[in-house]
């Protein structure tokens, strides 16, 4: 007996990517963790050298090898900071132990010896390589890497007074985790301070770690409550004195999602108002704390801090300012012309130059190559379900040029070396499994032809099962959709349809990616059993179709998205092979409400089955096929209201 496993969670499921390869500073080699060792591959020969062996990671203190989770080199390349013994904080394992390995002498020493095990966060070398700073137990520390002298820079850290990292709201809304930075001259540290003392606890019940449940308090501002106020301080390492940046505005009605040193004497900070529709960039004097606005942007809807397409879930992710011309300019993303484009802005904000031009969205940046006057970025001007690498001139005098091979339609991605000569290239589509290769740029030529994606395609490709389509509603809204038809499909027959929906700004479903046609919570083969699986992306989903498409849902969540889905379904129900009397809708997270409301738009000409997890736990049954305990709804034709099916009345 096959069943729907209906699982509903509070948050949109997030794909957490691995760290992958990491380029050397000169771009002519890359590093990878393999079999608990750090290895270096030199290009173009791809010659392998073990940089940190298992023997190097053997601790006499622990009497065992240290597991290598992540690493960073000192600026002079003579030391390595080893991250290990990690624990998860919210989504990522950003808390653990750190060790410093001298690559010449092989001396291995633990940082933060006096701190609790697995309590250090975001440790990083100072630019001069002489110190390591870290957060432990919500305070910021700095430690000399030779003498191991520790200085506690903040002293009031608690669960509610947070120094050098963030509370849940900042992580959830802005992907802010790492909350401090070294100054370029190693003399100061800037850090966020979050005051969560005014925020009430939301109690989460842990039923999984023990036979007895535990209550976990989380400081969490519910809807309508003010968030935690934040401020930014600059600590003088020598004196321990802190200068607070004098950023105007009520801290509890503003956010500070981005901060970066522009010089040893200046810090740049981005401020958003509570509605997140006004952004200001401040230039702050480190000595006095004085702040002046150099760039302001307003939107009718909201301003994105994250690109909807960037991966914000890596250990080292943070919101950066990308500097040009020796710190005299920076690159800034804006949707002010209707599309997400990149601009170069002078440090005083007096001049802006549009770099990318055209009716398309810059999905994410892959390389800023100032030496060769080139910018590499991801985009898909012709097909919103796909993703390709483009390049243009960094001075704004060029047009977007396709770099990805046009012969491989689908979803591409790249990790480009700092010198722009090499890249790790990945590719997939709905019928091609994920594949990787090393290439040279700008020719996009594989370094080893027999290991190229082209050489692997025959073994990677499967039968084409996913069909993409467009549907236009009576409102004139055209949407992308995909479907998987039953095996041995007969266009003369009618088939039941299962719609999978999410519908909101956190995620899109219709993508030309491997696995996009999988109804992943169905315990069986939906196509084998005679169902059409279908999903549609409405207005408001993060598709590269311009600002109007994405932001039209502002203050219309539960209105535009539901109307689009309902009217799209209305058109699809006219298709000759669709059985209008057998329609099911299911979804994830916030879509619990959306499914209920979309099902409520019932028409007298058909029946809709609504699968809701809100009432009776994980599920319901229809002819033994749906999970037990879930109410099963039908549309009563006479009243056009939804009622519990008689078979499921209690």
């Amino acid at each position: 007996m096959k069943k729907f496993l209906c699982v509903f969670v509070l948050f949109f499921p997030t794909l957490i990517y691995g760290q992958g390869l990491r380029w050397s500073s000169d771009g002519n080699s890359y590093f990878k963790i393999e079999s608990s060792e750090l290895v270096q591959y030199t290009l173009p020969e791809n010659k392998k050298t073990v940089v940190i062996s298992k023997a190097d990671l053997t601790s006499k203190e622990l009497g065992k090898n240290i597991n290598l989770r992540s690493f960073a080199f000192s600026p002079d390349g003579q030391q390595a900071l080893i991250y290990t013994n990690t624990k998860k904080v919210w989504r990522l394992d950003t808390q653990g132990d750190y060790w410093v390995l001298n690559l010449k002498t092989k001396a291995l020493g633990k940082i933060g010896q006096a701190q609790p095990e697995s309590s250090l966060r975001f440790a990083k070398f100072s630019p001069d390589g002489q110190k390591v700073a870290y957060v432990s137990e919500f305070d910021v520390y700095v430690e000399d890497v030779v003498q191991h002298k520790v200085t506690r820079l903040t002293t009031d850290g608690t669960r509610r007074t947070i120094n050098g990292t963030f509370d849940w709201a900042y992580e959830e809304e802005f992907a802010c985790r790492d909350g401090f930075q070294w100054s370029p001259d190693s003399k100061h540290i800037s850090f966020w301070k979050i005051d969560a003392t005014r925020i009430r606890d939301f109690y989460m019940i842990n039923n999984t770690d023990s036979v007895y449940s535990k209550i976990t308090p989380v400081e969490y501002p519910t809807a309508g409550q003010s968030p935690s106020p934040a401020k930014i301080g600059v600590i003088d390492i020598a004196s321990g004195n802190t200068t607070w940046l004098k950023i105007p505005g009520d801290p509890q009605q503003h956010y500070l999602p981005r901060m970066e040193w522009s010089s040893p004497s200046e810090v740049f900070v981005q401020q958003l108002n509570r509605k997140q529709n006004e952004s200001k960039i401040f230039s702050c004097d480190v000595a006095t704390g004085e702040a002046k606005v150099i760039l302001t942007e307003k939107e009718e809807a909201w301003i994105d801090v994250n690109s909807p397409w960037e991966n914000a879930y890596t250990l080292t992710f943070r919101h950066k300012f990308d500097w040009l011309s020796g710190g005299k300019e920076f690159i800034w993303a804006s949707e002010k012309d209707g599309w997400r484009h990149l601009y170069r802005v002078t440090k005083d904000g007096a001049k802006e130059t549009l770099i990318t031009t055209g009716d398309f969205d810059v999905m994410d940046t892959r390389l800023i190559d100032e030496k060769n006057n080139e910018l590499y970025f991801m985009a898909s001007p012709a097909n919103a379900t796909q993703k390709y690498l483009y390049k243009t001139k960094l001075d704004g005098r060029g047009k977007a040029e396709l770099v990805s091979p046009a012969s491989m339609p689908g979803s591409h991605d790249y990790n480009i070396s700092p010198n722009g000569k090499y890249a790790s290239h990945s590719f997939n589509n709905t019928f091609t499994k994920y594949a990787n290769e090393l290439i040279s740029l700008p020719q996009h030529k594989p370094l080893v032809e027999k290991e190229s994606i082209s050489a692997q395609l025959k073994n990677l490709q499967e039968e084409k099962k996913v069909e993409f389509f467009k549907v236009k509603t009576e409102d004139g809204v055209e949407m992308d959709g995909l479907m998987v038809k039953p095996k041995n499909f007969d266009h003369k027959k009618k088939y039941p349809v299962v719609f999978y929906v999410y519908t909101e700004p956190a995620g899109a479903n219709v993508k030309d990616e491997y696995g996009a046609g999988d109804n992943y919570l169905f315990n069986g083969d939906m196509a084998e059993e005679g169902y059409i699986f279908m999903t549609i992306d409405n207005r408001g989903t993060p598709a590269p179709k311009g600002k109007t498409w994405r932001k039209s849902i502002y203050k219309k969540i539960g209105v535009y998205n539901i109307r689009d889905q309902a009217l799209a379904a209305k058109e699809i129900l006219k298709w000759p092979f669709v059985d209008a009397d057998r329609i099911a809708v299911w979804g994830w997270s916030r879509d619990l409400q959306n499914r209920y409301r979309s099902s409520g738009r019932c028409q007298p000409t058909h029946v809709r089955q609504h699968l809701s997890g809100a009432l009776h736990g994980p599920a319901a049954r229809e002819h033994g096929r749906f999970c037990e305990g879930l109410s099963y709804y039908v549309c009563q034709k006479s009243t056009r209201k939804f009622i519990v099916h008689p078979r499921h009345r209690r």
Side-chain angles (χ1 to χ4, degrees), residues 381-400:
N383 188 329
T385 72
Q386 299 173 338
K387 187 167 66 170
Y388 299 90
L389 182 67
Y390 282 78
K391 70 173 183 177
T392 192
K393 296 299 182 184
L394 191 56
D395 60 11
R397 298 177 181 178
K399 294 182 178 181

Side-chain angles (χ1 to χ4, degrees), residues 4 6 8 592 595 610-622 626-633 644 648 650:
F4 274 109
C6 302
F8 303 103
L592 183 67
R595 285 178 297 109
H610 177 68
L611 310 180
S612 170
L615 301 179
H616 299 290
R621 175 193 302 266
E622 186 243 341
F626 298 106
C627 330
E628 297 177 2
L630 186 75
S631 293
Y632 164 55
Y633 290 82
V644 178
H648 296 278
R650 289 171 172 80

